[in-house]
Amino acid sequence: MSQIYDRVALIGLGLIASSMFWAMKRKGLAGEVTGFARSSDTRDIAREIGLCDRVCDSITEAVEGADLVVLCVPVGVMGAVAAEIAGALKPGATVTDVGSVKGDVIAQVAPHLPDKVHFVPGHPLAGTEHSGPRSGFAELFDNRWCLLVPVAGTDPQATARLRTLWEGLGSYVDEMDAEHHDLVLAVTSHAPHLIAYTMVGVADDLGRVTDSEVIQYSAAGFRDFTRIAASDPTMWRDVFLSNKDATLEILGRFTEELFALQRAIRQGDGDHLHAYFTRTRAIRRGIIEAGQDTDAPNFGRGGERHK
Ligand code: NAP
């Protein structure tokens, strides 16, 4: 695949940005890639491992002249970062983001962007529990979905070009509106993460089961929860605070179902449990058939991290 953007700026140099960089380099999708992260430690690591063609010490220097600017920072700071870069953006440039929530990010970012800049929010549905500049790898987005959420009035050509980039990064691409995105993700990602955090917290509180037993016998389901519950605390705090309504809606339904299962167990209602588990098994099969996970119980995560 040939070059899609002459100049790309990555703002924030963690898991997603570093994976995008290695994946862009794999296929030669960008001419020059500049990068900026808040701390000098992260910028030093990026320089040491060759993450970005040019690591800049100022955020405005990183975005100057860029055709595509990708905001790869936690959801809670997207607006502040957009305000910082607004004056340095090239007319005709596209700004996108990779945030896990879309409605709130659009509300934060859009008001800061100049008229001559295209805004095409995005969200790659790919990740690991690792974070930081060393955690990325080129294959992260392979065969995963990336959702684009163009705002009203967006130039379709800007969206189409970004779609081509994500396809080049290895993803399938779909478009949907922000409200729907946030509900879908509350079901498929945000509520499950909260449940995993809770389950690991419960095990931690349970004094009668020792820590060593929890660790030693964790393969029976708990291990996958611990992997999810090891995800970045800043990122997930911001996700819940900014996707509040959809997450609370799904958690309300979850609680009702949990009570129903609790009652079935208490009343010895095996038919209810069996019917429920038969239905959920079919969903698992559907995910495997759609190529979105393997049979191994590792949530499809893995891959080589960059040393
Ligand atoms: P990460 O590995 O923790 O990296 C975050 C980066 O943002 C770091 O380089 C950090 O800089 C930088 N940063 C934080 N605040 C900043 C600020 N105010 N100005 C400039 N840079 C700042 O995070 P990530 O996992 O790549 O996540 C980035 C975004 O992708 C988030 O919005 C998240 O919701 C989304 N996302 C994550 C996943 C996932 O599974 N991880 C999946 C899909 C989407 P320092 O290192 O200097 O602190």
Side-chain angles (χ1 to χ4, degrees):
M1 191 173 275
S2 55
Q3 189 170 307
I4 296 162
Y5 293 98
D6 291 341
R7 284 268 327 270
V8 174
L10 299 173
I11 306 302
L13 294 174
L15 170 71
I16 301 295
S18 56
S19 298
M20 286 184 77
F21 177 74
W22 302 121
M24 281 190 272
K25 286 291 146 182
R26 178 178 68 170
K27 296 260 186 72
L29 304 176
E32 187 195 33
V33 180
T34 55
F36 173 82
R38 171 182 55 171
S39 69
S40 56
D41 282 357
T42 297
R43 299 196 296 269
D44 288 345
I45 292 170
R47 289 187 181 107
E48 180 195 321
I49 65 175
L51 167 60
C52 294
D53 300 314
R54 187 158 53 90
V55 177
C56 303
D57 286 322
S58 107
I59 194 166
T60 49
E61 186 191 337
V63 304
E64 269 161 12
D67 305 295
L68 177 71
V69 177
V70 192
L71 308 181
C72 306
V73 296
V75 165
V77 296
M78 291 278 183
V81 168
E84 280 184 75
I85 62 171
L89 292 167
K90 179 169 111 171
T94 294
V95 172
T96 187
D97 75 293
V98 295
S100 307
V101 178
K102 295 277 60 89
D104 187 66
V105 167
I106 292 169
Q108 287 185 57
V109 172
H112 296 293
L113 300 183
D115 286 345
K116 292 202 170 100
V117 166
H118 308 292
F119 182 33
V120 188
H123 179 201
L125 306 188
T128 74
E129 69 277 25
H130 302 292
S131 51
R134 294 184 194 274
S135 59
F137 52 99
E139 300 78 22
L140 179 66
F141 309 112
D142 285 350
N143 303 318
R144 298 284 175 227
W145 284 91
C146 178
L147 301 177
L148 298 183
V149 181
V151 293
T154 304
D155 177 1
Q157 283 186 344
T159 306
R161 197 170 173 198
L162 187 62
R163 171 186 274 268
T164 312
L165 177 76
W166 276 107
E167 286 169 353
L169 296 173
S171 292
Y172 310 116
V173 181
D174 206 356
E175 289 179 33
M176 62 177 66
D177 69 51
E179 196 180 340
H180 191 64
H181 168 279
D182 290 353
L183 183 64
V184 170
L185 267 292
V187 175
T188 57
S189 171
H190 305 166
H193 270 80
L194 200 73
I195 293 160
Y197 279 122
T198 315
M199 197 55 228
V200 175
V202 167
D204 198 34
D205 289 343
L206 207 66
R208 278 167 298 153
V209 179
T210 65
D211 286 352
S212 62
E213 283 171 315
V214 168
I215 292 164
Q216 194 168 335
Y217 304 124
S218 68
F222 186 68
R223 188 179 55 190
D224 290 330
F225 280 123
T226 61
R227 186 175 286 114
I228 294 183
S231 300
D232 188 71
T234 305
M235 169 184 157
W236 284 97
R237 176 202 63 196
D238 286 5
V239 166
F240 293 119
L241 294 181
S242 56
N243 198 20
K244 187 172 163 179
D245 293 344
T247 308
L248 289 178
E249 161 75 17
I250 299 307
L251 286 174
R253 285 165 189 250
F254 172 79
T255 313
E256 284 171 22
E257 303 260 327
L258 190 63
F259 278 139
L261 290 177
Q262 227 174 313
R263 192 173 54 238
I265 293 169
R266 194 186 322 282
Q267 294 175 341
D269 185 351
D271 289 347
H272 181 98
L273 296 174
H274 194 271
Y276 200 93
F277 301 156
T278 303
R279 188 153 64 86
T280 55
R281 191 179 217 188
I283 292 175
R284 169 77 191 162
R285 285 211 192 99
I287 290 170
I288 292 173
E289 277 162 26
Q292 291 302 297
D293 204 352
T294 63
D295 255 335
N298 71 348
F299 285 78
R301 292 168 164 189
E304 286 301 311
R305 285 195 289 149
H306 196 80
K307 302 284 179 284

